[in-house]
Amino acid sequence: QVQLVESGGGSVQPGGSLRLSCAASGSIFSIGAMGWYRQAPGKQRELVAIFTADGSTVYGDSVKGRFTISRDNAKTTVYLQMNSLKLEDTAAYYCNADWIAPAGGLTSIWGQGTQVTVSS
């Protein structure tokens, strides 16, 4: 079992930048991939970026070239650097982690979310 806590959300003007952080606690030695998802009002939750267990990264098409995901050496914290923000980036951003249970099963763990609002 792990707990994920996001931080760094806020309001910013179009073209601005924000950096989100997600810190994991609990059974941190059993964490695999970590990533970010977002959900805007009236829209389905979508993939933003993933940092896999083997160190590769995957980005959603809508953020490719503007957002960068990174992870600390201990693999307990994941970051999302967001540049050139657009109005369409306004959403609740959720951290996600794959957790390997003691019996060997894989479970997705979610943070509480942090709001990002882009407005002029």
Side-chain angles (χ1 to χ4, degrees):
Q1 181 179 355
V2 299
Q3 181 181 2
L4 305 176
V5 179
E6 303 100 331
S7 62
S11 60
V12 65
Q13 293 184 342
S17 298
L18 284 174
R19 190 181 190 230
L20 306 183
S21 299
C22 173
S25 62
S27 301
I28 58 177
F29 301 111
S30 300
I31 297 174
M34 297 184 71
W36 293 92
Y37 295 75
R38 68 185 183 185
Q39 188 167 17
K43 299 184 66 177
Q44 192 171 352
R45 184 174 57 195
E46 66 175 347
L47 168 70
V48 177
I50 296 176
F51 198 109
T52 70
D54 65 0
S56 63
T57 57
V58 179
Y59 293 93
D61 290 339
S62 62
V63 307
K64 196 172 299 182
R66 300 186 298 120
F67 292 8
T68 303
I69 190 171
S70 60
R71 196 169 178 178
D72 68 355
N73 292 333
K75 298 184 178 181
T76 57
T77 304
V78 66
Y79 306 92
L80 185 68
Q81 179 66 47
M82 304 184 293
N83 298 325
S84 302
L85 284 162
K86 305 175 180 179
L87 297 178
E88 306 89 86
D89 295 319
T90 296
Y93 284 70
Y94 296 91
C95 182
N96 171 263
D98 290 333
W99 179 66
I100 303 172
L106 190 64
T107 303
S108 290
I109 306 297
W110 295 91
Q112 84 287 352
T114 185
Q115 180 68 36
V116 172
T117 301
V118 184
S119 62
S120 59

